[in-house]
Amino acid sequence: MPRKLGQHFLNDQGALRRIAAALPLDENSHVVEIGPGRGALTAALLATGASVTAVELDPYLLSWLRENLPHERLELVAGDALTVDLAALSRPDRPSFLAGNLPYYITSPLVRRALEARAAFRQAVFLVQKEVAERIVARKGSRDYGYLSALCRLYAEPELLFSVKPGSFRPPPKVDSAVFRLLLRQDVPAQPETERFLEAAFRQPRKTLRNNLRGLFDDELVSAQPEAGLRAQQLDLEELTALHRRLREQSANALS
Ligand code: SAM
């Protein structure tokens, strides 16, 4: 059952080296890798001199790795990357990074977990379905721009690095893939209210902000804003957070 758990193994040394080289790794660095599989990316990461903690869900692959890739700088963790405490696997005394050729079915929740763990990691580099990578780096005006793009920009600086064709994997996936990097904003505190606002603003992407923000703020107050007739897709993160701030201030004033 090779496709179980999104198991498409990367079999392209050039792409593997480029993924590892996308992070500034040396002997002092530590990487938490998601889904090592048969260790192709793990080996490229270890070759930089960094230490690696790799989280793998499949017990068969874990025992395969224990047998075939024993390494003094590699620690294997049996578990689900969506539930393990990623920050606890970082090394507070050393620059720590996240990496992975992600199983596509967990991409969005895993990216959110990486953003949540930003205080513990400097950067993350992930290989994902190209369409999702394009959504993550998209900016206002693009068809791909949505909640995930805005959320990534709130807590990181996302960059699209390069594409990987299906033929580079065994077995090949049905779609193109791409590598992107997140420069994590380690000092930005969690902003749950802003997240809720962005989620509401993009909920129905074709509808106007007046429509999507109904329920979050008073209708009349939203309608009075110059952006009310626009769609969230037409505003960048700064414009959206400025609107949020104004709505909060004006609704607080209306109550006092
Ligand atoms: N890194 C390897 C490579 O590049 O060839 C394998 C990548 S493969 C796309 C995804 C890997 O993630 C598989 O080894 C799969 O078993 C593992 N995996 C799937 N779901 C997972 C989860 N929730 N937590 C951790 N690993 C998971």
Side-chain angles (χ1 to χ4, degrees):
M1 287 290 285
R3 285 194 182 78
K4 181 179 75 122
L5 300 178
Q7 291 172 350
H8 296 277
F9 300 111
L10 186 54
N11 190 26
D12 173 336
Q13 288 306 319
L16 287 161
R17 271 197 299 272
R18 286 177 79 186
I19 298 173
L23 297 173
L25 300 178
D26 62 23
E27 293 73 18
N28 193 36
S29 319
H30 181 68
V31 186
V32 174
E33 188 195 352
I34 312 301
R38 291 212 178 86
L41 180 58
T42 321
L45 294 167
L46 288 167
T48 66
S51 60
V52 177
T53 296
V55 185
E56 175 59 59
L57 186 58
D58 186 333
Y60 165 78
L61 288 172
L62 278 163
S63 50
W64 190 96
L65 282 168
R66 282 199 184 97
E67 210 159 292
N68 294 283
L69 195 70
H71 197 291
E72 55 182 12
R73 281 185 276 114
L74 173 63
E75 184 194 358
L76 296 171
V77 172
D80 182 341
L82 292 183
T83 54
V84 296
D85 183 351
L86 295 175
L89 302 179
S90 73
R91 298 277 162 82
D93 53 330
R94 290 162 53 193
S96 295
F97 300 87
L98 283 161
N101 167 12
L102 297 186
Y104 295 168
Y105 76 104
I106 66 166
T107 302
S108 298
L110 200 277
V111 167
R112 296 190 61 152
R113 299 206 79 225
L115 297 173
E116 281 162 19
R118 70 194 169 280
F121 298 97
R122 295 189 177 192
Q123 301 181 18
V125 65
F126 294 128
L127 172 55
V128 302
Q129 202 173 323
K130 190 172 184 183
E131 189 195 303
V132 180
E134 283 170 350
R135 269 170 43 207
I136 285 169
V137 304
R139 311 211 68 144
K140 80 169 172 184
S142 151
R143 211 161 32 98
D144 299 322
Y145 177 57
Y147 175 57
L148 191 59
S149 338
L151 188 68
C152 283
R153 247 169 238 285
L154 182 62
Y155 294 124
E157 194 181 314
E159 301 169 304
L160 191 61
L161 299 185
F162 59 94
S163 301
V164 184
K165 287 283 171 203
S168 294
F169 298 85
R170 297 283 176 278
K174 291 203 172 69
V175 292
D176 281 349
S177 303
V179 176
F180 73 94
R181 178 170 52 202
L182 295 173
L183 306 179
L184 295 161
R185 300 191 203 282
Q186 298 193 280
D187 300 334
V188 172
Q191 299 176 47
E193 268 192 57
T194 310
E195 290 183 36
R196 275 197 293 279
F197 175 81
L198 293 172
E199 202 171 3
F202 283 103
R203 189 163 291 139
Q204 300 198 59
R206 294 187 170 282
K207 299 226 162 145
T208 60
L209 286 161
R210 182 184 290 120
N211 248 287
N212 280 337
L213 296 178
R214 190 169 285 161
L216 216 53
F217 290 99
D218 177 74
D219 255 5
E220 267 183 45
L221 189 62
V222 177
S223 297
Q225 307 303 318
E227 303 91 337
L230 300 176
R231 289 177 286 116
Q233 275 201 330
Q234 295 172 277
L235 303 181
D236 64 23
L237 178 66
E238 289 67 32
E239 291 165 328
L240 285 164
T241 51
L243 170 63
H244 183 213
R245 213 174 307 121
R246 205 182 320 124
L247 284 167
R248 279 171 58 181
E249 280 164 15
Q250 292 181 3
S251 60
N253 288 344
L255 288 176
S256 59

